[in-house]
Amino acid sequence: MALSNYFEQVTGVDIFTGDPHAGFHGDIYEQVKSSLAPYSNIRLVQSDYKDFIKDHSDQYDLIHVDIIHTYEATYDCGLWAAQHSACTLFHDTESFPEVKRAVVEIAKKTGKTFYNYPYHDGLGILY
């Protein structure tokens, strides 16, 4: 929501049911959609990232990756994100070492610069 103040269009992609790391909380899509209704420039897509990225080749200014905290999921989603955005953010680089390892590998593969903000569970920035 905060980023919608700085971008013309914000797209949020999520399954809206949680995961093993964040906890499962049932389907909250309609609740989130209702909460964000006043922000006309936010579009929500209820989808697994794998399904979303296979049909989308758009370029974005910024992509924020905060998904299940495994190496594989972070690498797969993050590589696509880094290839489709000028800047990619990754949450939990300090609290989940596998996330940080995936981001380091994505930086190497894409030639992007990796900066790690180590506070508040870590925020990886690729640009």
Side-chain angles (χ1 to χ4, degrees):
M1 179 175 63
L3 292 174
S4 72
N5 293 301
Y6 301 97
F7 294 94
E8 286 183 34
Q9 180 69 40
V10 174
T11 302
V13 179
D14 199 303
I15 56 174
F16 295 97
T17 58
D19 63 52
H21 297 127
F24 293 101
H25 42 255
D27 189 341
I28 60 168
Y29 174 75
E30 290 300 327
Q31 176 186 348
V32 173
K33 183 178 170 183
S34 176
S35 295
L36 297 176
Y39 304 90
S40 61
N41 64 332
I42 297 177
R43 177 176 71 102
L44 294 180
V45 177
Q46 188 171 22
S47 175
D48 182 273
Y49 81 89
K50 293 175 204 166
D51 295 327
F52 181 82
I53 67 175
K54 72 181 176 186
D55 294 327
H56 287 82
S57 59
D58 296 341
Q59 290 293 311
Y60 299 88
D61 295 320
L62 175 72
I63 296 177
H64 178 211
V65 177
D66 188 8
I67 59 174
I68 187 169
H69 300 92
T70 64
Y71 174 87
E72 294 79 13
T74 302
Y75 185 86
D76 292 346
C77 182
L79 179 60
W80 180 91
Q83 294 169 335
H84 290 87
S85 67
C87 181
T88 309
L89 305 178
F90 296 83
H91 190 236
D92 294 326
T93 54
E94 291 298 317
S95 54
F96 289 88
E98 291 297 293
V99 169
K100 188 175 186 179
R101 185 169 71 90
V103 179
V104 167
E105 292 300 317
I106 293 166
K108 288 178 187 174
K109 183 166 181 124
T110 61
K112 292 194 174 201
T113 300
F114 170 50
Y115 173 77
N116 188 59
Y117 180 79
Y119 308 103
H120 308 289
D121 297 317
L123 182 69
I125 304 167
L126 286 184
Y127 59 96

